[in-house]
Amino acid sequence: LQRRLNDLRLTAGTERGTLQPQLNWTRNDRLGERGSYNVSLSASRQDRRDDLIQRTRITDAASGAPLLDQEETGPSLDQRDRVQLLSRLQWRHGPGEFLLLTPFIVASESRTDATRQLEQLAGTIPSPYASSQTSAHSRFSLLRLNAQEQRRVASDARIELRGALSAANWRAQSLRREFDAAQALTRTLEERTDNDDRTWTLAGKFSRPFASGHTLVAGIEAESTRREQGRATLQDGAPLLADLGDAFGAQTRRLAAYVQDEWNVSRAWSTHAGLRWEEITTRSETAGSTTTNVSRVWTPLLHAVWRLDAQRRDQIRASLTRSFRRWYVDAMY
């Protein structure tokens, strides 16, 4: 923390007669002699009003005669609210030892209402509707927490732990209604979506010098990601995509372990060599179908760096390693 700060800013504007407020707050301060924190909060609202004028013309390429001429007009209102909080908490246990927490929160909501009038000026193709009304509503939220702990377990050994938790949700629904020239309802289209994401990661690393210029580094990594998705599309109250199902789930898990020797040969040369093992498991679930796949790989590592100047800005890097990329495709027709 370089300096203490407590800053609050309020701004407001107008667009076509609607208020656009915004708030920003930032605070930096210390926690005793070893700790410090930072908090940044922002909140805003946006109202947007649009008037649409859209014209579609289709003409015959040979004669130039008009085949279709349509004009769609109407107003729309789009309202968005957003809140975001970012914080950072750091606590020092001693020289080279600390705990770092960084929570992050986002929440937003949007609403849209639109009315359209469709006028057919020319053409023999019948107009699909004379007017329409559309309303949509969506919400999004994200909560994430990152943590890092670094400790010395001996005078020359160090342990570093890193972890993260994340949860996100997105829900949306929309309803479109179409009318004929007599204002009779001819078609409705309703869509609903609900997505949930859950993720956690954990990593640990141990490092210790064991010879002149050599440092032993070993670590483990674990990660899990889970998504659950639900979707429904109704036309005139009946499912439109019933054959594809309205629920889907997918999960990915990754485990890894590695060990390597980091060797500073000289002030200009450094290299590290080691071995890494990794396993990835994927699982997907749909209506009446479950697919699971497991992939494993051993990866040798060999990297070298040659620093061309004393400031170590110009470098030449060389690597010899083995990697893999896994592709998973689930297609439905």
Side-chain angles (χ1 to χ4, degrees), residues 13 23 38 41 67 70 88 115 120 129 137 143 213 232 246 250-251 258 267 269 272 285 289 307 313 321 325 328 331:
L23 178 147
N38 168 269
L41 173 66
L67 300 178
Q70 290 180 342
R88 175 187 174 97
T115 302
Q120 184 153 325
Y129 56 90
H137 180 234
L143 173 62
D246 56 3
Q251 185 174 15
Y258 63 91
R267 290 182 58 87
W269 280 96
H272 67 266
E285 302 172 357
S289 176
R307 302 176 182 87
R313 295 179 179 178
T321 184
R325 177 178 294 179
Y328 174 72

PDB file of all heavy atoms in Angstrom, residues 13 23 38 41 67 70 88 115 120 129 137 143 213 232 246 250-251 258 267 269 272 285 289 307 313 321 325 328 331:
ATOM      1  N   GLY A  13     -25.959  11.856 -15.901  1.00  0.00           N
ATOM      2  CA  GLY A  13     -26.188  12.437 -17.210  1.00  0.00           C
ATOM      3  C   GLY A  13     -27.594  12.120 -17.656  1.00  0.00           C
ATOM      4  O   GLY A  13     -28.324  11.351 -17.013  1.00  0.00           O
ATOM      5  N   LEU A  23     -22.076   5.631  -9.671  1.00  0.00           N
ATOM      6  CA  LEU A  23     -21.368   5.801  -8.405  1.00  0.00           C
ATOM      7  C   LEU A  23     -20.070   5.002  -8.443  1.00  0.00           C
ATOM      8  O   LEU A  23     -20.062   3.843  -8.878  1.00  0.00           O
ATOM      9  CB  LEU A  23     -22.247   5.350  -7.233  1.00  0.00           C
ATOM     10  CG  LEU A  23     -21.654   5.412  -5.824  1.00  0.00           C
ATOM     11  CD1 LEU A  23     -22.747   5.724  -4.818  1.00  0.00           C
ATOM     12  CD2 LEU A  23     -20.986   4.068  -5.443  1.00  0.00           C
ATOM     13  N   ASN A  38      -7.832  -2.924   0.008  1.00  0.00           N
ATOM     14  CA  ASN A  38      -8.326  -2.038  -1.029  1.00  0.00           C
ATOM     15  C   ASN A  38      -9.735  -2.476  -1.393  1.00  0.00           C
ATOM     16  O   ASN A  38      -9.992  -3.674  -1.555  1.00  0.00           O
ATOM     17  CB  ASN A  38      -7.412  -2.077  -2.256  1.00  0.00           C
ATOM     18  CG  ASN A  38      -8.037  -1.404  -3.461  1.00  0.00           C
ATOM     19  OD1 ASN A  38      -8.702  -2.049  -4.262  1.00  0.00           O
ATOM     20  ND2 ASN A  38      -7.837  -0.113  -3.569  1.00  0.00           N
ATOM     21  N   LEU A  41     -15.865  -0.073  -5.402  1.00  0.00           N
ATOM     22  CA  LEU A  41     -17.281  -0.330  -5.625  1.00  0.00           C
ATOM     23  C   LEU A  41     -17.789   0.595  -6.728  1.00  0.00           C
ATOM     24  O   LEU A  41     -17.506   1.797  -6.715  1.00  0.00           O
ATOM     25  CB  LEU A  41     -18.090  -0.103  -4.344  1.00  0.00           C
ATOM     26  CG  LEU A  41     -19.613  -0.179  -4.454  1.00  0.00           C
ATOM     27  CD1 LEU A  41     -20.052  -1.596  -4.794  1.00  0.00           C
ATOM     28  CD2 LEU A  41     -20.276   0.307  -3.169  1.00  0.00           C
ATOM     29  N   LEU A  67     -39.687  -7.189 -55.853  1.00  0.00           N
ATOM     30  CA  LEU A  67     -40.322  -8.423 -55.393  1.00  0.00           C
ATOM     31  C   LEU A  67     -40.872  -8.276 -53.979  1.00  0.00           C
ATOM     32  O   LEU A  67     -41.865  -8.904 -53.628  1.00  0.00           O
ATOM     33  CB  LEU A  67     -39.317  -9.580 -55.440  1.00  0.00           C
ATOM     34  CG  LEU A  67     -38.715  -9.902 -56.810  1.00  0.00           C
ATOM     35  CD1 LEU A  67     -37.709 -11.031 -56.676  1.00  0.00           C
ATOM     36  CD2 LEU A  67     -39.807 -10.265 -57.805  1.00  0.00           C
ATOM     37  N   GLN A  70     -40.656  -3.853 -47.596  1.00  0.00           N
ATOM     38  CA  GLN A  70     -41.250  -3.805 -46.264  1.00  0.00           C
ATOM     39  C   GLN A  70     -40.555  -2.743 -45.432  1.00  0.00           C
ATOM     40  O   GLN A  70     -39.348  -2.518 -45.568  1.00  0.00           O
ATOM     41  CB  GLN A  70     -41.130  -5.163 -45.556  1.00  0.00           C
ATOM     42  CG  GLN A  70     -41.998  -6.259 -46.141  1.00  0.00           C
ATOM     43  CD  GLN A  70     -41.829  -7.570 -45.387  1.00  0.00           C
ATOM     44  OE1 GLN A  70     -40.853  -7.761 -44.664  1.00  0.00           O
ATOM     45  NE2 GLN A  70     -42.777  -8.479 -45.560  1.00  0.00           N
ATOM     46  N   ARG A  88      -9.227  -6.313  -2.172  1.00  0.00           N
ATOM     47  CA  ARG A  88      -7.923  -6.965  -2.031  1.00  0.00           C
ATOM     48  C   ARG A  88      -7.464  -6.798  -0.588  1.00  0.00           C
ATOM     49  O   ARG A  88      -7.348  -5.680  -0.090  1.00  0.00           O
ATOM     50  CB  ARG A  88      -6.912  -6.343  -2.999  1.00  0.00           C
ATOM     51  CG  ARG A  88      -5.486  -6.860  -2.859  1.00  0.00           C
ATOM     52  CD  ARG A  88      -4.557  -6.039  -3.746  1.00  0.00           C
ATOM     53  NE  ARG A  88      -3.161  -6.387  -3.554  1.00  0.00           N
ATOM     54  CZ  ARG A  88      -2.491  -7.222  -4.332  1.00  0.00           C
ATOM     55  NH1 ARG A  88      -3.099  -7.781  -5.363  1.00  0.00           N
ATOM     56  NH2 ARG A  88      -1.225  -7.487  -4.105  1.00  0.00           N
ATOM     57  N   THR A 115     -41.825  -2.464 -29.344  1.00  0.00           N
ATOM     58  CA  THR A 115     -43.056  -2.567 -30.141  1.00  0.00           C
ATOM     59  C   THR A 115     -42.707  -2.277 -31.588  1.00  0.00           C
ATOM     60  O   THR A 115     -41.986  -1.317 -31.880  1.00  0.00           O
ATOM     61  CB  THR A 115     -44.115  -1.577 -29.648  1.00  0.00           C
ATOM     62  OG1 THR A 115     -44.390  -1.836 -28.261  1.00  0.00           O
ATOM     63  CG2 THR A 115     -45.400  -1.725 -30.434  1.00  0.00           C
ATOM     64  N   GLN A 120     -46.137  -3.558 -45.375  1.00  0.00           N
ATOM     65  CA  GLN A 120     -45.687  -4.088 -46.655  1.00  0.00           C
ATOM     66  C   GLN A 120     -46.100  -3.131 -47.770  1.00  0.00           C
ATOM     67  O   GLN A 120     -47.278  -2.939 -48.038  1.00  0.00           O
ATOM     68  CB  GLN A 120     -46.266  -5.485 -46.907  1.00  0.00           C
ATOM     69  CG  GLN A 120     -45.759  -6.120 -48.188  1.00  0.00           C
ATOM     70  CD  GLN A 120     -45.783  -7.642 -48.118  1.00  0.00           C
ATOM     71  OE1 GLN A 120     -45.546  -8.212 -47.055  1.00  0.00           O
ATOM     72  NE2 GLN A 120     -46.065  -8.277 -49.239  1.00  0.00           N
ATOM     73  N   TYR A 129     -46.585 -10.786 -40.206  1.00  0.00           N
ATOM     74  CA  TYR A 129     -47.374 -10.185 -39.133  1.00  0.00           C
ATOM     75  C   TYR A 129     -47.513  -8.698 -39.452  1.00  0.00           C
ATOM     76  O   TYR A 129     -46.778  -8.138 -40.290  1.00  0.00           O
ATOM     77  CB  TYR A 129     -46.717 -10.378 -37.766  1.00  0.00           C
ATOM     78  CG  TYR A 129     -45.316  -9.849 -37.683  1.00  0.00           C
ATOM     79  CD1 TYR A 129     -45.067  -8.535 -37.300  1.00  0.00           C
ATOM     80  CD2 TYR A 129     -44.221 -10.659 -37.997  1.00  0.00           C
ATOM     81  CE1 TYR A 129     -43.792  -8.031 -37.237  1.00  0.00           C
ATOM     82  CE2 TYR A 129     -42.933 -10.169 -37.932  1.00  0.00           C
ATOM     83  CZ  TYR A 129     -42.724  -8.859 -37.561  1.00  0.00           C
ATOM     84  OH  TYR A 129     -41.456  -8.366 -37.502  1.00  0.00           O
ATOM     85  N   HIS A 137     -36.144 -10.134 -20.147  1.00  0.00           N
ATOM     86  CA  HIS A 137     -35.599  -9.853 -18.820  1.00  0.00           C
ATOM     87  C   HIS A 137     -34.480 -10.843 -18.548  1.00  0.00           C
ATOM     88  O   HIS A 137     -34.623 -12.044 -18.804  1.00  0.00           O
ATOM     89  CB  HIS A 137     -36.685  -9.979 -17.750  1.00  0.00           C
ATOM     90  CG  HIS A 137     -36.188  -9.709 -16.364  1.00  0.00           C
ATOM     91  ND1 HIS A 137     -36.360 -10.593 -15.324  1.00  0.00           N
ATOM     92  CD2 HIS A 137     -35.513  -8.652 -15.843  1.00  0.00           C
ATOM     93  CE1 HIS A 137     -35.829 -10.095 -14.222  1.00  0.00           C
ATOM     94  NE2 HIS A 137     -35.311  -8.919 -14.521  1.00  0.00           N
ATOM     95  N   LEU A 143     -19.690 -14.535  -8.383  1.00  0.00           N
ATOM     96  CA  LEU A 143     -18.973 -14.436  -7.113  1.00  0.00           C
ATOM     97  C   LEU A 143     -17.683 -15.230  -7.239  1.00  0.00           C
ATOM     98  O   LEU A 143     -17.715 -16.417  -7.571  1.00  0.00           O
ATOM     99  CB  LEU A 143     -19.822 -14.979  -5.959  1.00  0.00           C
ATOM    100  CG  LEU A 143     -19.126 -15.082  -4.597  1.00  0.00           C
ATOM    101  CD1 LEU A 143     -18.697 -13.706  -4.118  1.00  0.00           C
ATOM    102  CD2 LEU A 143     -20.028 -15.749  -3.578  1.00  0.00           C
ATOM    103  N   GLY A 213      23.468 -23.436  -6.965  1.00  0.00           N
ATOM    104  CA  GLY A 213      22.754 -22.990  -8.148  1.00  0.00           C
ATOM    105  C   GLY A 213      21.534 -23.805  -8.500  1.00  0.00           C
ATOM    106  O   GLY A 213      20.818 -23.452  -9.445  1.00  0.00           O
ATOM    107  N   ALA A 232     -35.641 -23.722 -22.667  1.00  0.00           N
ATOM    108  CA  ALA A 232     -36.953 -24.101 -23.181  1.00  0.00           C
ATOM    109  C   ALA A 232     -37.397 -23.062 -24.198  1.00  0.00           C
ATOM    110  O   ALA A 232     -37.272 -21.860 -23.960  1.00  0.00           O
ATOM    111  CB  ALA A 232     -37.974 -24.212 -22.054  1.00  0.00           C
ATOM    112  N   ASP A 246     -34.145 -30.126 -23.045  1.00  0.00           N
ATOM    113  CA  ASP A 246     -34.075 -28.794 -22.459  1.00  0.00           C
ATOM    114  C   ASP A 246     -33.112 -28.718 -21.274  1.00  0.00           C
ATOM    115  O   ASP A 246     -33.111 -27.737 -20.537  1.00  0.00           O
ATOM    116  CB  ASP A 246     -35.460 -28.342 -22.014  1.00  0.00           C
ATOM    117  CG  ASP A 246     -36.111 -29.326 -21.057  1.00  0.00           C
ATOM    118  OD1 ASP A 246     -35.458 -30.327 -20.711  1.00  0.00           O
ATOM    119  OD2 ASP A 246     -37.261 -29.107 -20.661  1.00  0.00           O
ATOM    120  N   ALA A 250     -22.351 -30.517 -17.979  1.00  0.00           N
ATOM    121  CA  ALA A 250     -20.988 -30.843 -18.378  1.00  0.00           C
ATOM    122  C   ALA A 250     -20.051 -30.567 -17.214  1.00  0.00           C
ATOM    123  O   ALA A 250     -20.242 -29.609 -16.457  1.00  0.00           O
ATOM    124  CB  ALA A 250     -20.568 -30.044 -19.600  1.00  0.00           C
ATOM    125  N   GLN A 251     -19.047 -31.434 -17.074  1.00  0.00           N
ATOM    126  CA  GLN A 251     -18.089 -31.288 -15.983  1.00  0.00           C
ATOM    127  C   GLN A 251     -16.702 -31.671 -16.473  1.00  0.00           C
ATOM    128  O   GLN A 251     -16.535 -32.634 -17.226  1.00  0.00           O
ATOM    129  CB  GLN A 251     -18.475 -32.164 -14.793  1.00  0.00           C
ATOM    130  CG  GLN A 251     -17.576 -31.969 -13.572  1.00  0.00           C
ATOM    131  CD  GLN A 251     -18.067 -32.751 -12.366  1.00  0.00           C
ATOM    132  OE1 GLN A 251     -18.901 -33.639 -12.499  1.00  0.00           O
ATOM    133  NE2 GLN A 251     -17.573 -32.405 -11.196  1.00  0.00           N
ATOM    134  N   TYR A 258       4.034 -32.304 -10.802  1.00  0.00           N
ATOM    135  CA  TYR A 258       5.281 -32.084 -11.519  1.00  0.00           C
ATOM    136  C   TYR A 258       6.436 -31.965 -10.540  1.00  0.00           C
ATOM    137  O   TYR A 258       6.259 -31.650  -9.352  1.00  0.00           O
ATOM    138  CB  TYR A 258       5.197 -30.825 -12.390  1.00  0.00           C
ATOM    139  CG  TYR A 258       4.998 -29.543 -11.612  1.00  0.00           C
ATOM    140  CD1 TYR A 258       6.072 -28.780 -11.171  1.00  0.00           C
ATOM    141  CD2 TYR A 258       3.710 -29.098 -11.293  1.00  0.00           C
ATOM    142  CE1 TYR A 258       5.887 -27.619 -10.446  1.00  0.00           C
ATOM    143  CE2 TYR A 258       3.512 -27.933 -10.574  1.00  0.00           C
ATOM    144  CZ  TYR A 258       4.606 -27.195 -10.147  1.00  0.00           C
ATOM    145  OH  TYR A 258       4.407 -26.050  -9.420  1.00  0.00           O
ATOM    146  N   ARG A 267      25.442 -16.185 -14.560  1.00  0.00           N
ATOM    147  CA  ARG A 267      24.602 -14.990 -14.614  1.00  0.00           C
ATOM    148  C   ARG A 267      23.890 -14.872 -15.946  1.00  0.00           C
ATOM    149  O   ARG A 267      22.832 -14.256 -16.043  1.00  0.00           O
ATOM    150  CB  ARG A 267      25.461 -13.741 -14.375  1.00  0.00           C
ATOM    151  CG  ARG A 267      25.964 -13.616 -12.952  1.00  0.00           C
ATOM    152  CD  ARG A 267      26.767 -12.319 -12.796  1.00  0.00           C
ATOM    153  NE  ARG A 267      25.971 -11.158 -13.147  1.00  0.00           N
ATOM    154  CZ  ARG A 267      25.176 -10.522 -12.295  1.00  0.00           C
ATOM    155  NH1 ARG A 267      25.051 -10.945 -11.049  1.00  0.00           N
ATOM    156  NH2 ARG A 267      24.500  -9.455 -12.696  1.00  0.00           N
ATOM    157  N   TRP A 269      23.287 -17.747 -18.078  1.00  0.00           N
ATOM    158  CA  TRP A 269      22.565 -18.972 -18.433  1.00  0.00           C
ATOM    159  C   TRP A 269      21.747 -19.484 -17.250  1.00  0.00           C
ATOM    160  O   TRP A 269      22.193 -19.452 -16.113  1.00  0.00           O
ATOM    161  CB  TRP A 269      23.546 -20.073 -18.851  1.00  0.00           C
ATOM    162  CG  TRP A 269      24.037 -19.959 -20.260  1.00  0.00           C
ATOM    163  CD1 TRP A 269      25.195 -19.385 -20.682  1.00  0.00           C
ATOM    164  CD2 TRP A 269      23.386 -20.450 -21.428  1.00  0.00           C
ATOM    165  NE1 TRP A 269      25.320 -19.471 -22.042  1.00  0.00           N
ATOM    166  CE2 TRP A 269      24.212 -20.125 -22.541  1.00  0.00           C
ATOM    167  CE3 TRP A 269      22.182 -21.106 -21.666  1.00  0.00           C
ATOM    168  CZ2 TRP A 269      23.879 -20.445 -23.840  1.00  0.00           C
ATOM    169  CZ3 TRP A 269      21.851 -21.442 -22.970  1.00  0.00           C
ATOM    170  CH2 TRP A 269      22.684 -21.114 -24.041  1.00  0.00           C
ATOM    171  N   HIS A 272      15.961 -25.258 -16.619  1.00  0.00           N
ATOM    172  CA  HIS A 272      15.275 -26.174 -15.708  1.00  0.00           C
ATOM    173  C   HIS A 272      14.721 -27.351 -16.513  1.00  0.00           C
ATOM    174  O   HIS A 272      14.278 -27.203 -17.655  1.00  0.00           O
ATOM    175  CB  HIS A 272      14.185 -25.470 -14.891  1.00  0.00           C
ATOM    176  CG  HIS A 272      13.016 -24.980 -15.677  1.00  0.00           C
ATOM    177  ND1 HIS A 272      12.931 -23.702 -16.160  1.00  0.00           N
ATOM    178  CD2 HIS A 272      11.869 -25.597 -16.063  1.00  0.00           C
ATOM    179  CE1 HIS A 272      11.788 -23.542 -16.803  1.00  0.00           C
ATOM    180  NE2 HIS A 272      11.116 -24.676 -16.759  1.00  0.00           N
ATOM    181  N   GLU A 285     -23.816 -34.688 -19.862  1.00  0.00           N
ATOM    182  CA  GLU A 285     -25.101 -35.353 -19.633  1.00  0.00           C
ATOM    183  C   GLU A 285     -26.185 -34.602 -20.388  1.00  0.00           C
ATOM    184  O   GLU A 285     -26.328 -33.389 -20.249  1.00  0.00           O
ATOM    185  CB  GLU A 285     -25.432 -35.376 -18.135  1.00  0.00           C
ATOM    186  CG  GLU A 285     -24.388 -36.071 -17.275  1.00  0.00           C
ATOM    187  CD  GLU A 285     -24.658 -35.887 -15.799  1.00  0.00           C
ATOM    188  OE1 GLU A 285     -25.624 -35.162 -15.465  1.00  0.00           O
ATOM    189  OE2 GLU A 285     -23.904 -36.447 -14.981  1.00  0.00           O
ATOM    190  N   SER A 289     -28.600 -39.531 -22.298  1.00  0.00           N
ATOM    191  CA  SER A 289     -27.260 -39.793 -22.809  1.00  0.00           C
ATOM    192  C   SER A 289     -26.219 -39.236 -21.849  1.00  0.00           C
ATOM    193  O   SER A 289     -26.336 -38.112 -21.377  1.00  0.00           O
ATOM    194  CB  SER A 289     -27.082 -39.174 -24.194  1.00  0.00           C
ATOM    195  OG  SER A 289     -25.752 -39.345 -24.648  1.00  0.00           O
ATOM    196  N   ARG A 307      20.670 -14.853 -21.336  1.00  0.00           N
ATOM    197  CA  ARG A 307      20.488 -13.418 -21.187  1.00  0.00           C
ATOM    198  C   ARG A 307      21.654 -12.698 -21.857  1.00  0.00           C
ATOM    199  O   ARG A 307      22.818 -12.911 -21.506  1.00  0.00           O
ATOM    200  CB  ARG A 307      20.391 -13.046 -19.710  1.00  0.00           C
ATOM    201  CG  ARG A 307      19.244 -13.760 -18.991  1.00  0.00           C
ATOM    202  CD  ARG A 307      19.225 -13.457 -17.506  1.00  0.00           C
ATOM    203  NE  ARG A 307      18.161 -14.172 -16.840  1.00  0.00           N
ATOM    204  CZ  ARG A 307      18.279 -15.411 -16.355  1.00  0.00           C
ATOM    205  NH1 ARG A 307      19.438 -16.054 -16.461  1.00  0.00           N
ATOM    206  NH2 ARG A 307      17.261 -16.000 -15.762  1.00  0.00           N
ATOM    207  N   ARG A 313      17.313  -7.848 -20.029  1.00  0.00           N
ATOM    208  CA  ARG A 313      16.137  -7.479 -20.812  1.00  0.00           C
ATOM    209  C   ARG A 313      16.075  -8.248 -22.124  1.00  0.00           C
ATOM    210  O   ARG A 313      15.002  -8.642 -22.569  1.00  0.00           O
ATOM    211  CB  ARG A 313      16.148  -5.975 -21.074  1.00  0.00           C
ATOM    212  CG  ARG A 313      16.005  -5.138 -19.803  1.00  0.00           C
ATOM    213  CD  ARG A 313      16.041  -3.656 -20.138  1.00  0.00           C
ATOM    214  NE  ARG A 313      15.893  -2.840 -18.938  1.00  0.00           N
ATOM    215  CZ  ARG A 313      15.934  -1.519 -18.926  1.00  0.00           C
ATOM    216  NH1 ARG A 313      16.133  -0.849 -20.065  1.00  0.00           N
ATOM    217  NH2 ARG A 313      15.788  -0.843 -17.794  1.00  0.00           N
ATOM    218  N   THR A 321       9.932 -29.946 -25.261  1.00  0.00           N
ATOM    219  CA  THR A 321       8.911 -30.523 -24.403  1.00  0.00           C
ATOM    220  C   THR A 321       7.894 -31.271 -25.248  1.00  0.00           C
ATOM    221  O   THR A 321       7.997 -31.312 -26.480  1.00  0.00           O
ATOM    222  CB  THR A 321       8.216 -29.430 -23.567  1.00  0.00           C
ATOM    223  OG1 THR A 321       7.284 -30.032 -22.683  1.00  0.00           O
ATOM    224  CG2 THR A 321       7.483 -28.464 -24.475  1.00  0.00           C
ATOM    225  N   ARG A 325      -3.226 -31.810 -26.845  1.00  0.00           N
ATOM    226  CA  ARG A 325      -4.464 -31.037 -26.857  1.00  0.00           C
ATOM    227  C   ARG A 325      -5.599 -32.013 -27.111  1.00  0.00           C
ATOM    228  O   ARG A 325      -5.556 -32.796 -28.068  1.00  0.00           O
ATOM    229  CB  ARG A 325      -4.444 -29.961 -27.946  1.00  0.00           C
ATOM    230  CG  ARG A 325      -5.745 -29.175 -28.032  1.00  0.00           C
ATOM    231  CD  ARG A 325      -5.661 -28.088 -29.081  1.00  0.00           C
ATOM    232  NE  ARG A 325      -4.689 -27.071 -28.686  1.00  0.00           N
ATOM    233  CZ  ARG A 325      -4.394 -26.019 -29.432  1.00  0.00           C
ATOM    234  NH1 ARG A 325      -4.961 -25.865 -30.614  1.00  0.00           N
ATOM    235  NH2 ARG A 325      -3.521 -25.128 -29.011  1.00  0.00           N
ATOM    236  N   TYR A 328     -13.041 -32.505 -27.852  1.00  0.00           N
ATOM    237  CA  TYR A 328     -14.264 -33.255 -27.560  1.00  0.00           C
ATOM    238  C   TYR A 328     -15.425 -32.575 -28.262  1.00  0.00           C
ATOM    239  O   TYR A 328     -15.659 -31.381 -28.041  1.00  0.00           O
ATOM    240  CB  TYR A 328     -14.545 -33.332 -26.061  1.00  0.00           C
ATOM    241  CG  TYR A 328     -15.860 -33.972 -25.719  1.00  0.00           C
ATOM    242  CD1 TYR A 328     -16.041 -35.332 -25.882  1.00  0.00           C
ATOM    243  CD2 TYR A 328     -16.908 -33.199 -25.253  1.00  0.00           C
ATOM    244  CE1 TYR A 328     -17.254 -35.919 -25.570  1.00  0.00           C
ATOM    245  CE2 TYR A 328     -18.130 -33.767 -24.942  1.00  0.00           C
ATOM    246  CZ  TYR A 328     -18.287 -35.139 -25.107  1.00  0.00           C
ATOM    247  OH  TYR A 328     -19.486 -35.707 -24.811  1.00  0.00           O
ATOM    248  N   ALA A 331     -22.087 -33.623 -31.239  1.00  0.00           N
ATOM    249  CA  ALA A 331     -22.953 -33.004 -32.257  1.00  0.00           C
ATOM    250  C   ALA A 331     -24.260 -33.734 -32.325  1.00  0.00           C
ATOM    251  O   ALA A 331     -24.326 -34.965 -32.244  1.00  0.00           O
ATOM    252  CB  ALA A 331     -22.263 -33.022 -33.627  1.00  0.00           C
TER     253      ALA A 331
END
